[in-house]
Amino acid sequence: METLRSFATVRPYDLIILHYGLNVANEKQKDYGGYTSQLGKVIDQMKQAYPHASILVISMGDRDKRGSDGQMHTMGGVKEMVSYERKMASDHHVAFWNLYEAMGGDGSLAKMTEKKQANLDYTHINFAGGRYLAELLFDVLMNGKSNYENRVR
């Protein structure tokens, strides 16, 4: 904790973005309470070290797997993980952005792969996909800023 507080004196952050979960979600697991409990502790530490910073949790994105029908679909566990991440962010009173939905929901990584925005592992985005999703996030943040400014006028 002291190291984080020292960092905060050298570089006070306005926004801390936390984005985890892609390699935690799996086909069979449905309960991610232990994972989100640990992430909640990280959020609490960030709040202590950077009390003036806003915190944004970005959910895991889509991760696809070939189904019995031969088509690519969202891997089991993804929707559950996103749900747990949303609740955890709410419980810790921090902002949440649903990357899975922003990507397009079920099967969206397969569509991004077709557009050459994700790798053929149907798990990881590539540079082009990162650029696309970064633009979506930027627009969300700028709209939030504009809405805030309109309310305080």
Side-chain angles (χ1 to χ4, degrees):
M1 182 55 74
E2 281 306 312
T3 302
L4 284 176
R5 287 189 182 125
S6 296
F7 286 155
T9 62
V10 174
R11 178 61 178 102
Y13 291 105
D14 297 320
L15 176 63
I16 297 170
I17 298 175
L18 301 173
H19 172 63
Y20 298 99
L22 182 65
N23 293 317
V24 175
N26 63 73
E27 190 67 32
K28 296 179 181 171
Q29 188 171 349
K30 302 298 180 197
D31 182 348
Y32 294 97
Y35 163 80
T36 53
S37 174
Q38 292 300 314
L39 186 53
K41 291 176 185 177
V42 171
I43 290 170
D44 292 341
Q45 288 179 338
M46 290 293 141
K47 284 180 168 184
Q48 287 178 341
Y50 299 94
H52 301 292
S54 296
I55 298 175
L56 171 63
V57 172
I58 297 178
S59 77
M60 74 170 290
D62 191 30
R63 182 174 176 182
D64 291 348
K65 180 180 177 184
R66 191 168 309 280
S68 59
D69 62 358
Q71 301 298 312
M72 299 304 287
H73 299 281
T74 295
M75 183 183 79
V78 169
K79 293 174 189 175
E80 289 83 359
M81 170 67 84
V82 172
S83 176
Y84 272 84
E85 288 174 323
R86 174 186 286 120
K87 182 177 183 331
M88 184 262 322
S90 175
D91 289 348
H92 289 271
H93 309 287
V94 296
F96 177 80
W97 187 53
N98 190 331
L99 178 59
Y100 170 75
E101 288 296 327
M103 290 172 75
D106 186 49
S108 58
L109 199 66
K111 293 173 187 156
M112 289 182 74
T113 302
E114 290 171 9
K115 295 178 187 177
K116 309 260 188 266
Q117 295 176 325
N119 297 331
L120 293 173
D121 64 0
Y122 295 94
T123 300
H124 299 94
I125 61 170
N126 60 24
F127 182 81
R131 181 181 198 93
Y132 167 72
L133 296 174
E135 289 172 1
L136 292 178
L137 177 57
F138 180 80
D139 289 345
V140 165
L141 293 172
M142 291 300 100
N143 285 336
K145 179 181 180 287
S146 177
N147 289 341
Y148 172 78
E149 289 171 343
N150 288 336
R151 279 188 300 203
V152 296
R153 287 185 190 160

